[in-house]
Amino acid sequence: MTQLTAKQNIQAIVKAIKAEEALLRKKHPLLMHQNTLGMAILLLSLSALIGIGTLYYFAIIPAWLCIILAAIATSISHELEHDLIHKQYFSNQPFLHNFMMLTVWLMRPNTISPWYRRKMHLHHHKTSGTEQDLEERLVGNGIKNPFLRALVIVDGLLGLLINAKRFSKEINGFSFFKVFNAGFPITTAYFAILYSVIVFHLVNLFTPLAANSPVLLLDVMNVFEFLMVVLIVPNIVRSSSLNFVTSSMHYYGGVNNMLEQTHVITSRLFMPFNLFCFNFGHTHTIHHFVPNQPFYLRQMISKKILEVMRQHGVRFNDFASIKQANLYQ
């Protein structure tokens, strides 16, 4: 495929996406109230998360069901954050915009600040498929070793620590402390709680820590363990699913144009992971062609647009690339 042909295919896809969006907006006037819809979705997902936590607190639902439902609720907040990064809601009303940014961060405390991530994500659009794409490399894209890749996908802090030296050499302007400090104070608190609970129970296996600890420590651990079920473990499930899908569908190396930045994942093998990242594998490629579009619109147009993308050279379910550390061939 020549560069000119690639350009024509890209233009055809972009045109189709915008045309489908225009038709939807004309058919459903409610879609014109984008700010209201964004805030309503945020408040509904936040209410759902609080409600799920309340049901667990009163022992109405078991821990495993709480984790699954909370992971789905927080996956919606990730899509909202993605939209907010592209200033899709209240771009001219800083208070409401920043309120939404803070809320989605509180719902997903294992991520860095959305204000810092905005810079990283916009840079991702400019450098997707190259070694300069810090955002995707932080979640495992371009890693060939399956054990290391799994570790990075599940635990972002360990991934950052492991890859810091390599990133410093390969990524222009990378600073470990800038990325690490971008999580303060919410992400810092998340990891403090996570590792405190892990250490407490590991020590308790070898010595009766629970029986000999002060009442205050046990009360704190009870709060931490409640947070583990309603917020921390659900976000591990959510972020691991998202990181696995996004690091699988983005190419790393051999990329020359937008057609080659991603492939679409529709395989049923990825259904459980797509469940916890709001169908990311089906719809994220659309976002690469038209970034300034609310996530729910991508869902609504995806059925027609995926066929258009297939006709114009976008690959589907290219799992061979994962074995080659996401190389586009």
Side-chain angles (χ1 to χ4, degrees), residues 167-239:
F167 289 170
S168 296
K169 293 179 180 178
E170 297 177 355
I171 300 177
N172 298 332
F174 171 79
S175 167
F176 169 82
F177 288 105
K178 279 185 181 179
V179 179
F180 181 80
N181 292 335
F184 184 83
I186 293 174
T187 314
T188 310
Y190 163 89
F191 281 110
I193 294 170
L194 172 62
Y195 288 122
S196 293
V197 172
I198 291 172
V199 169
F200 182 87
H201 286 286
L202 282 176
V203 173
N204 195 55
L205 289 174
F206 303 100
T207 182
L209 191 61
N212 299 314
S213 297
V215 174
L216 178 60
L217 176 61
L218 294 178
D219 288 342
V220 169
M221 290 308 300
N222 284 334
V223 173
F224 282 8
E225 287 177 352
F226 174 76
L227 290 173
M228 286 287 288
V229 175
V230 301
L231 196 61
I232 293 178
V233 175
N235 269 292
I236 292 174
V237 173
R238 176 201 63 77
S239 63

Side-chain angles (χ1 to χ4, degrees), residues 25-289:
R25 288 188 183 277
K26 187 176 180 180
K27 185 177 180 181
H28 304 289
L30 180 64
L31 294 174
M32 300 306 294
H33 301 280
Q34 194 161 299
N35 290 338
T36 304
L37 285 172
M39 182 64 79
I41 294 168
L42 174 65
L43 295 177
L44 284 171
S45 59
L46 177 62
S47 299
L49 183 61
I50 294 171
I52 293 161
T54 303
L55 291 174
Y56 172 70
Y57 179 80
F58 289 108
I60 297 173
I61 60 173
W64 65 267
L65 183 58
C66 177
I67 290 168
I68 290 173
L69 295 176
I72 294 172
T74 56
S75 74
I76 298 172
S77 67
H78 169 79
E79 293 299 311
L80 286 168
E81 186 216 38
H82 197 179
D83 287 352
L84 286 161
I85 283 171
H86 288 279
K87 299 188 176 181
Q88 293 299 290
Y89 312 118
F90 299 104
S91 59
N92 296 319
Q93 295 175 265
F95 177 79
L96 292 174
H97 179 82
N98 289 321
F99 166 76
M100 291 185 73
M101 292 275 273
L102 178 60
T103 305
V104 295
W105 192 15
L106 289 168
M107 291 178 70
R108 301 156 38 263
N110 60 338
T111 63
I112 58 173
S113 155
W115 293 276
Y116 182 85
R117 185 172 171 247
R118 173 175 282 147
K119 299 176 185 177
M120 190 184 296
H121 182 71
L122 296 180
H123 185 67
H124 156 70
H125 279 281
K126 295 177 182 177
T127 61
S128 185
T130 74
E131 67 177 15
Q132 299 303 312
D133 184 3
L134 175 60
E135 183 178 63
E136 282 303 317
R137 296 188 69 184
L138 279 172
V139 297
N141 189 244
I143 298 176
K144 194 167 186 176
N145 184 304
F147 174 76
L148 178 59
R149 189 175 186 127
L151 190 62
V152 169
I153 284 171
V154 174
D155 193 317
L157 179 58
L158 279 178
L160 179 62
L161 289 167
I162 291 167
N163 288 309
K165 188 174 180 180
R166 182 180 178 185
F167 289 170
S168 296
K169 293 179 180 178
E170 297 177 355
I171 300 177
N172 298 332
F174 171 79
S175 167
F176 169 82
F177 288 105
K178 279 185 181 179
V179 179
F180 181 80
N181 292 335
F184 184 83
I186 293 174
T187 314
T188 310
Y190 163 89
F191 281 110
I193 294 170
L194 172 62
Y195 288 122
S196 293
V197 172
I198 291 172
V199 169
F200 182 87
H201 286 286
L202 282 176
V203 173
N204 195 55
L205 289 174
F206 303 100
T207 182
L209 191 61
N212 299 314
S213 297
V215 174
L216 178 60
L217 176 61
L218 294 178
D219 288 342
V220 169
M221 290 308 300
N222 284 334
V223 173
F224 282 8
E225 287 177 352
F226 174 76
L227 290 173
M228 286 287 288
V229 175
V230 301
L231 196 61
I232 293 178
V233 175
N235 269 292
I236 292 174
V237 173
R238 176 201 63 77
S239 63
S240 297
S241 298
L242 174 64
N243 293 346
F244 179 51
V245 173
T246 189
S247 66
S248 297
M249 70 183 300
H250 283 85
Y251 288 107
Y252 178 75
V255 174
N256 299 298
N257 56 66
M258 202 179 294
L259 288 172
E260 300 170 358
Q261 289 179 354
T262 61
H263 62 99
V264 181
I265 296 181
T266 57
S267 169
R268 291 182 180 179
L269 295 174
F270 275 73
M271 283 180 63
F273 306 105
N274 272 320
L275 173 65
F276 295 116
C277 60
F278 211 81
N279 208 27
F280 192 89
H282 280 243
T283 60
H284 183 67
T285 296
I286 299 172
H287 173 69
H288 271 248
F289 288 93

